[in-house]
Amino acid sequence: MTVDSRLEALGWHHLYSGKVRDLYESAAHPGRLLVVTSDRVSAFDHILTPGIPGKGALLTQLSLWWFGRLGEPTHLAAAHPSLGAHLPPELAGRTMIVHTLEMYPIECVVRGYLAGSGWAEYRVSQTVCGIELPAGLEEGDELPEPIFTPAFKAPLGQHDENITFERMVEIVGAADAEALRETSLRIFATASAIAEERGILLADTKFEFGRDPGSDHPVLADEVLTSDSSRYWDAETYAAGGMNRLESFDKQIVRDWLAANWDRTGEPPELPADIVERTAVRYQELVDRFMSES
């Protein structure tokens, strides 16, 4: 009997599957969703095989840790007291009960350092999402101040599109755009300070928000400040310089292997066991670094 069929028997009906998360709804819990974080791993807009063992539980654990420390309205809701005991055992540690929200179609990206797609754009135009930056920056350099660089969320299987703030205003309206930018930058500052206390640099991250009909404040949703949504570096390694200074606590190992072994045509190859194992270690290490000093 599959997990879906057992959840169906409990009244939770499959609603949607993203690259990593599966959503379920239930008539018995109106206004609530069951979010299940899988071990799936994606890169270059493809879901890869095999998954990363334990990844879903680690992402959920870290999101919950951050939700409890940011002092922001979140999508977390109180679960039915007996619900957890009746969920399939393989879902232990990887589920959240959340409020149903009207999600903004925007990924609210904040960058404190020049890396990833921001670095690629900067090399061409000395801008990131239309924001002009000083000349002479190198990959991994800290920016004069964190910048807000939104992206438009694409359908599953397509690539999210970096957009200007002006384009974001056209999509969600001026008031919401301003609120999302201000909230994102504030959370980034709070999270950066917490990370630095643990010897970790938060290079960049993405937040997702929803609209609650009962509030005019953006509600933090989905995952937050995990290895999948954020780029973290070890502060000591970064300060020492050298080739390893930008090694991140995420699936970069997967991306690098895939880039070297696949031309992005057809279906991607299966990940080797050692790549899967090394990636799992990086995910676990980040959770340990944060939660061991709670």
Side-chain angles (χ1 to χ4, degrees), residues 5 20 30 32 43 85 98 120 152 184 196 245 250 256 281-282 286:
S5 60
V20 176
R32 302 288 186 269
V98 303
F152 182 71
S184 298
E196 287 176 14
R245 75 182 188 123
D250 58 17
D256 291 345
V281 168
R282 292 298 278 174
L286 182 67

Side-chain angles (χ1 to χ4, degrees), residues 130-240:
I131 300 173
E132 292 189 9
L133 295 176
L137 296 177
E138 299 293 336
E139 183 178 16
D141 281 356
E142 186 174 9
L143 300 175
E145 61 182 9
I147 58 174
F148 178 76
T149 60
F152 182 71
K153 285 183 62 64
L156 182 64
Q158 299 181 31
H159 194 64
D160 296 335
E161 174 192 358
N162 289 343
I163 59 175
T164 64
F165 182 74
E166 289 71 26
R167 174 61 181 141
M168 179 178 168
V169 170
E170 293 175 358
I171 295 171
V172 303
D176 282 350
E178 289 287 356
L180 291 170
R181 178 168 63 179
E182 187 275 330
T183 303
S184 298
L185 289 168
R186 183 179 65 250
I187 296 174
F188 186 86
T190 299
S192 294
I194 293 173
E196 287 176 14
E197 292 173 355
R198 291 157 173 79
I200 298 169
L201 300 179
L202 175 58
D204 53 54
T205 192
K206 72 172 182 69
F207 303 114
E208 295 194 37
F209 295 94
R211 183 186 290 108
D212 185 339
S215 170
D216 58 0
H217 192 286
V219 178
L220 191 58
D222 195 53
E223 63 181 325
V224 62
L225 295 160
T226 71
S227 303
D228 270 11
S229 65
S230 313
R231 194 188 318 265
Y232 289 105
W233 297 326
D234 178 84
E236 186 174 336
T237 303
Y238 178 88

Side-chain angles (χ1 to χ4, degrees), residues 34-57:
L34 174 68
V35 180
V36 178
T37 307
S38 74
D39 290 342
R40 295 191 296 269
V41 62
S42 67
F44 306 124
D45 299 313
H46 282 73
I47 296 174
L48 310 174
T49 57
I52 308 300
K55 173 175 176 278

Side-chain angles (χ1 to χ4, degrees), residues 251-275:
K251 58 186 176 184
Q252 190 60 49
I253 297 168
V254 169
R255 293 192 197 97
D256 291 345
W257 183 88
L258 209 56
N261 292 275
W262 182 49
D263 62 4
R264 303 200 197 186
T265 61
E267 290 300 311
E270 184 169 312
L271 298 174
D274 69 305
I275 295 297

